[in-house]
Amino acid sequence: MEKYVNLKIADGTDMEAYTAIPEDAAGRNAPGLILLQEAFGVNHHIRDVSDRFAAQGYVVIAPELFHRSAPPYFEGSYSDFPSIMPHMQALTVEGNEADLKACYHFLRHHELVNPANIFSIGYCMGGRVSFLANAVLPLSAAVSYYGGNIKQVIEKTPGISGPQLFFWGGLDKHIAQDQIDSVINAMDEAGKEYINVKISYADHAFACDERPAYNEKATKEAWALTLAFFKNNMR
């Protein structure tokens, strides 16, 4: 568990978080990235994605958002969604905000991170939390992959700090077009910068190469745009 750090949260709880550090990072020059989990915990896939971003030069922290209801290092099964539901239902906006602020503080004061370049990215459930991160933290930019139920935090839109990149799957039955429209309309009304990408041939969770919905072509397209988006918003 040498890659994990323990963060003290403002509400008195402790949170484990996976970290990934670029091999050649030196000084305070690296961008920081808060990487937010799917509903299945900081599992092998999330750790692997964290490592991929570290290979691109990012100092990454992936917090265990279920730390108030699940044991440390919890990993849920992709084939047993009902067992995940109690942990999802235990999440609160206030709790998410506290966790995000702890992660931001970790990166902001990290010896390798340029504090002017801190980003967030999230997948599925984490896509909503990444949107929230952009609204409550002074981020350079944020990305949400198929973020469901963003409407739960849509009132936070006026606080969005950096440009937001959205990815949706055209075959996704979990996120209807009206959900997407409500998010984009809120961004327009608040005058916020965004890129909105709907990949017609992709399903929900298309970027997870450990799930049946994985779509290699869509993932490669989204990965390339994600890296370009972050790079273009660095200061």
Side-chain angles (χ1 to χ4, degrees):
M1 299 302 178
E2 69 278 0
K3 285 194 170 186
Y4 281 80
V5 295
N6 181 273
L7 301 181
K8 304 297 181 182
I9 311 303
D11 62 4
T13 59
D14 285 6
M15 177 174 69
E16 297 295 324
Y18 181 79
T19 60
I21 310 295
E23 290 185 3
D24 57 353
R28 300 199 74 184
N29 296 315
L33 180 63
I34 303 171
L35 193 147
L36 299 152
Q37 65 179 69
E38 299 173 307
F40 302 93
V42 181
N43 58 10
H44 176 268
H45 170 66
I46 293 299
R47 298 192 301 272
D48 183 55
V49 174
S50 298
D51 292 343
R52 292 180 212 172
F53 275 108
Q56 296 293 321
Y58 292 81
V59 173
V60 185
I61 184 166
E64 296 196 332
L65 298 178
F66 291 158
H67 67 93
R68 294 175 183 84
S69 61
Y73 318 118
F74 170 81
E75 296 186 34
S77 169
Y78 287 129
S79 61
D80 186 11
F81 190 76
S83 68
I84 302 299
M85 285 300 296
H87 304 298
M88 292 185 66
Q89 292 166 348
L91 292 179
T92 66
V93 175
E94 294 75 19
N96 285 158
E97 286 191 28
D99 296 346
L100 290 167
K101 289 175 181 176
C103 291
Y104 180 82
H105 183 270
F106 172 84
L107 292 174
R108 177 77 173 73
H109 296 280
H110 196 284
E111 62 182 2
L112 298 176
V113 174
N114 178 348
N117 293 320
I118 298 179
F119 304 86
S120 72
I121 189 168
Y123 303 84
C124 189
M125 181 190 83
R128 179 181 72 249
V129 184
S130 182
F131 179 89
L132 177 64
N134 201 8
V136 301
L137 301 173
L139 300 182
S140 295
V143 180
S144 294
Y145 276 68
Y146 31 84
N149 291 318
I150 291 179
K151 61 185 179 181
Q152 292 179 353
V153 292
I154 203 69
E155 75 279 0
K156 303 282 189 179
T157 306
I160 291 286
S161 58
Q164 182 88 25
L165 171 58
F166 299 98
F167 288 108
W168 317 96
L171 304 179
D172 190 344
K173 299 298 189 293
H174 300 281
I175 303 174
Q177 185 62 46
D178 63 329
Q179 280 197 53
I180 300 173
D181 291 343
S182 66
V183 173
I184 299 308
N185 289 341
M187 294 290 285
D188 284 337
E189 290 171 9
K192 301 300 180 179
E193 292 185 26
Y194 65 87
I195 298 175
N196 188 39
V197 179
K198 185 174 182 180
I199 302 177
S200 66
Y201 56 86
D203 205 338
H204 189 77
F206 69 78
C208 180
D209 57 7
E210 298 183 18
R211 299 178 69 177
Y214 175 63
N215 186 299
E216 182 179 8
K217 179 182 176 182
T219 299
K220 287 182 176 179
E221 297 280 11
W223 175 254
L225 181 51
T226 297
L227 293 179
F229 178 72
F230 282 155
K231 183 176 180 179
N232 290 341
N233 285 289
M234 287 187 189
R235 299 163 187 166

